Amino acid sequence: MTKLQFNDLKLSPEIKKAILDMGFEEATPIQSQAIPYILTGKDVIGQAQTGTGKTAAFSIPILENIDTDTLSALILCPTRELAIQIAQETKKLAKYKTNIEILPVYGGQPIERQIRALKKGVNLIIGTPGRIIDHIKRKTINLEHVRMVVLDEADEMLNMGFREDIEYILNDIPTNRQTILFSATMSEEILSLTKLYLKDPVTVKIAYKELTVPTIEQIYYEVSEINKIDLLCRLIDMFNPNLSLIFCNTKRRVDELVETLQTRGYLVDNLHGDLKQSQRDRVMSKFRNHAIDILIATDVAARGIDIDDIEIIFNYDIPNDVEYYVHRIGRTGRAGKKGKAISFVTSKDIYKIKEIQKYIKTKIKLQQPPTINDVNERRIMAYLEKIKREIEQGRLTEYITWIENLSEEGYTSIEMAAAAIKLATNFLIKNTEDVQDDFGDTGAQEGMVRLFINIGRKNNIGPKDIISIIANNTSLAGGLIGMIDIYDRFTFVEVPKEYAREILSIMQNNLINGKKSLLNPPIKRYRREKLDAR
C-alpha cells in the first residue's frame, strides 16, 4: 500500500499542526493502513512491532473523535514505561486541542495522586490493567461513557497473565464501543480475544519483510559463555557508543552483569521488574541525560523505552522467543539514524540465531571477535579524527612556529608529524610483539595475568580506585581490566597479558590512597589458592 502524507488524511488543523511540530510528514505503513479505518469507527486489529509508529496510529483517531465532556477513551498496555511513553506522545499530538485531559494510570505511583487527578476530570486514560481495576473497584474510574478502547501490545499483556483483567475491564465498558487491538503476533489466544470482543474487525498488518529496519547493521559473534564479558568490554571500548542497551534473559543475569561492568569502571545501571517505579524513573532519567551510557535490561522491563539515540543493542543472551529479537533491535536505528545490533551466540544458541534469521528474512552476519590490536587501531583512528578537528578549528600559530624551527634543522613535515603521533599514541597502544609469555599459570582467565598488590580493604580502596590508578598511569584502558578481588591487606587484579610488564614497571611504588603500592610478579596458582583460603 502506498504511504500517505498526513495532509492527505481528514484530520483537524490542530492535529495536523501538532504532527508538523513533531517533524512528521509521511505516515508509516501501519499509520497509513490503520488511521483511515479507525477514523470511521471500525474495530481494527493491527499487527505491528515496536518502533513502527503504532502509537500515533491509534492516538490520532482517538484525539479526533474524543468527547471533551467525559471519560470517553481508554488505552490498556502491559507496563508502566509504555503507559508513560504513550501518554507523552499523545499529549504532544493534543498540543493544540483544548479541553482534553490525558492521564497515565499505573502501579508504583501513589494511588491517591491519581485519584486527585481523576476527580478533576479526564477524557483519556492510558493505564495498566491491574491499576485500572483498582480504580474501578474504588469507583474512582467510571467507564460507562467510554466509546473507544485500545489494547496495545496485547500479546505481551497475555504473556504477563492479564487475560482475566482485560476481560474484567472490557465487560465493564458498554458494548456499543469501538475496540482496537494491536499485537506483534497473532496467537490463538489473541484471536480468541478478538472474536469475543471485536465486531467485524478490519485487520491491518506490516509484512514480515518490514519487521527490521534496514539502517540497523545486524551481526553476531560465536563466543563461549566464559568469554562473553571480555568480548563485551572489548566491543564497548572499540565502538565507544554514546548510549547502548544490553539485553539479558533474566533479572539475576542483569544484576550480575551490572555488578561486573561497574567493577570494571563502566557507567552502567539496570532495569528490571524488581525495581520500584521511583527507581525505574531515576535509572531512565540517568540514561536519557547520559549520566550513564549503558543500560542493562530484561525484555519486559525494556517495554516503553523510547530513546532515539541508542547506537548499539547488545543481545548478551539470545532471546528464547524470536519475536523478542525484533523488539530488542527496534530500540536502535530510529528516526532515520543508523544502528547496530550485536548478538553473542554460544554453541547451544546456534539454532536460535538460525530461527531468527528465518523469521526476519534477513541475514545476520557472523564476524570474528576483535583483537586487542583491533581495539588499538580504533583508538588511533579516533585520535587522528581529533587531530583533523584541531586543524579545522585553527589557532595553531604557536605550534606552527615550533615546527618551522625544527624544519630549519632539516626534518620534513611528514617525519615530525609521524614522530608526534608516535609519542602521543604511546599510551594508546602497546607493541605486543615484544611480550613474552613467561608468567606461568597465575590462575587468571585465558589471555590474562593475575597480579598481586600489597594494598586492600583496610586501606579504604575499592575496585574503582584500582581501575583509576592503572588506567591513569598506564596505556591500559579501564574497560580492559579483568576481575578484581579485594581482601583486607592485599588485592588481586587481572590484566591482559600484553600489558602486564608495563603495569609492573610503572605501578611499582605508586601511591594508592596515600600508601605506596608494591606489585609483585604474577603469583603461581598454588600460592593464590592459599591466599584465597585466608
Side-chain angles (χ1 to χ4, degrees), residues 390 394-407 416:
E390 287 294 330
R395 301 192 298 273
L396 299 173
T397 305
E398 180 182 357
Y399 303 96
I400 291 172
T401 301
W402 294 343
I403 295 296
E404 288 173 345
N405 291 337
L406 284 174
S407 182
M416 288 183 280

Side-chain angles (χ1 to χ4, degrees), residues 258-266 463-464 467 482-484:
V258 166
E259 184 178 351
T260 301
L261 289 181
Q262 286 177 340
T263 300
R264 294 187 178 208
Y266 293 95
K464 290 184 179 179
I467 292 169
M483 293 299 297
I484 298 175

Side-chain angles (χ1 to χ4, degrees), residues 61-74:
I62 284 176
L63 295 173
E64 284 289 350
N65 296 327
I66 201 163
D67 184 345
T68 57
D69 294 327
T70 186
L71 171 60
S72 62
L74 173 68

Side-chain angles (χ1 to χ4, degrees), residues 58-59 61-75 97 99-103 118 121-126 141-150 173-174 176-180:
F58 56 73
S59 294
I62 284 176
L63 295 173
E64 284 289 350
N65 296 327
I66 201 163
D67 184 345
T68 57
D69 294 327
T70 186
L71 171 60
S72 62
L74 173 68
I75 300 172
K97 297 275 285 188
N99 301 323
I100 294 181
E101 294 297 329
I102 300 167
L103 181 68
L118 288 165
V122 296
N123 311 112
L124 167 61
I125 289 177
I126 301 132
I141 285 181
N142 185 341
L143 302 178
E144 65 178 348
H145 298 295
V146 169
R147 299 186 308 183
M148 294 182 71
V149 180
V150 176
I173 301 173
N176 62 339
R177 63 175 182 265
Q178 180 184 13
T179 308
I180 299 130

Side-chain angles (χ1 to χ4, degrees), residues 278-494:
S278 58
Q279 293 174 307
R280 291 187 183 205
D281 293 341
R282 224 173 10 249
V283 170
M284 287 307 303
S285 176
K286 288 195 295 182
F287 193 51
R288 285 192 182 92
N289 298 324
H290 294 241
I292 58 172
D293 46 32
I294 302 170
L295 183 62
I296 307 178
T298 55
D299 289 289
V300 172
R303 292 285 178 135
I305 292 179
D306 189 23
I307 299 175
D308 286 341
D309 49 355
I310 296 175
E311 295 180 8
I312 301 181
I313 299 296
F314 290 99
N315 291 308
Y316 195 78
D317 296 324
I318 301 298
N320 295 319
D321 190 329
V322 293
E323 290 152 11
Y324 279 139
Y325 178 85
V326 177
H327 286 295
R328 288 180 179 187
I329 72 170
R331 308 294 171 184
T332 187
R334 292 191 166 195
K337 298 177 182 178
K338 291 184 178 180
K340 193 183 294 288
I342 298 175
S343 300
F344 292 176
V345 180
T346 62
S347 57
K348 67 179 182 179
D349 291 329
I350 291 294
Y351 79 94
K352 291 183 182 178
I353 208 73
K354 290 179 179 178
E355 287 181 356
I356 289 170
Q357 291 183 90
K358 184 178 179 181
Y359 177 72
I360 65 175
K361 293 180 168 55
T362 302
K363 178 73 173 177
I364 305 175
K365 299 175 184 176
L366 170 64
Q367 291 192 358
Q368 293 300 313
T371 64
I372 291 290
N373 287 337
D374 293 330
V375 178
N376 287 337
E377 184 177 350
R378 278 271 182 160
R379 289 188 190 137
I380 293 175
M381 295 306 295
Y383 181 73
L384 293 177
E385 286 299 318
K386 288 182 180 179
I387 291 177
K388 290 179 186 177
R389 288 196 293 271
E390 287 294 330
I391 293 172
E392 290 168 0
Q393 290 173 6
R395 301 192 298 273
L396 299 173
T397 305
E398 180 182 357
Y399 303 96
I400 291 172
T401 301
W402 294 343
I403 295 296
E404 288 173 345
N405 291 337
L406 284 174
S407 182
E408 291 176 1
E409 297 181 26
Y411 299 107
T412 68
S413 57
I414 291 178
E415 288 173 333
M416 288 183 280
I421 291 175
K422 180 181 178 182
L423 290 171
T425 58
N426 184 49
F427 292 99
L428 293 176
I429 63 173
K430 185 70 178 174
N431 186 353
T432 57
E433 293 179 1
D434 295 334
V435 177
Q436 296 179 0
D437 183 9
D438 59 354
F439 296 113
D441 181 12
T442 64
Q445 292 188 26
E446 184 179 352
M448 307 287 280
V449 169
R450 188 171 165 97
L451 302 181
F452 173 88
I453 308 175
N454 67 325
I455 295 172
R457 286 195 199 97
K458 292 193 173 181
N459 304 107
N460 296 318
I461 68 163
K464 290 184 179 179
D465 298 307
I466 300 297
I467 292 169
S468 177
I469 195 71
I470 293 176
N472 291 336
N473 290 278
T474 72
S475 62
L476 177 61
L480 295 179
I481 295 172
M483 293 299 297
I484 298 175
D485 297 319
I486 300 178
Y487 297 84
D488 286 342
R489 295 183 177 83
F490 56 86
T491 296
F492 292 122
V493 57
E494 292 185 9

Side-chain angles (χ1 to χ4, degrees), residues 70-193:
T70 186
L71 171 60
S72 62
L74 173 68
I75 300 172
L76 291 179
C77 53
T79 66
R80 292 167 280 198
E81 289 78 16
L82 186 56
I84 293 168
Q85 175 196 327
I86 294 172
Q88 289 172 341
E89 185 165 345
T90 305
K91 286 178 180 179
K92 290 178 184 177
L93 289 166
K95 181 178 179 181
Y96 299 107
K97 297 275 285 188
T98 58
N99 301 323
I100 294 181
E101 294 297 329
I102 300 167
L103 181 68
V105 171
Y106 49 84
Q109 185 185 59
I111 198 167
E112 292 78 13
R113 186 189 305 171
Q114 295 171 359
I115 292 172
R116 287 196 299 270
L118 288 165
K119 285 181 177 178
K120 293 178 181 178
V122 296
N123 311 112
L124 167 61
I125 289 177
I126 301 132
T128 52
R131 182 51 65 95
I132 294 292
I133 288 177
D134 283 348
H135 282 289
I136 292 173
K137 291 180 176 179
R138 289 170 180 259
K139 301 187 183 303
T140 49
I141 285 181
N142 185 341
L143 302 178
E144 65 178 348
H145 298 295
V146 169
R147 299 186 308 183
M148 294 182 71
V149 180
V150 176
L151 307 179
D152 190 25
E153 298 200 0
D155 53 348
E156 191 60 31
M157 286 196 284
L158 295 185
N159 289 340
M160 295 170 70
F162 287 139
R163 173 71 184 251
E164 291 183 1
D165 291 350
I166 292 170
E167 294 188 341
Y168 181 97
I169 294 167
L170 292 178
N171 291 331
D172 199 51
I173 301 173
T175 56
N176 62 339
R177 63 175 182 265
Q178 180 184 13
T179 308
I180 299 130
L181 179 146
F182 275 88
S183 179
T185 59
M186 287 296 151
S187 64
E188 288 297 325
E189 193 174 13
I190 292 288
L191 293 175
S192 71
L193 197 68

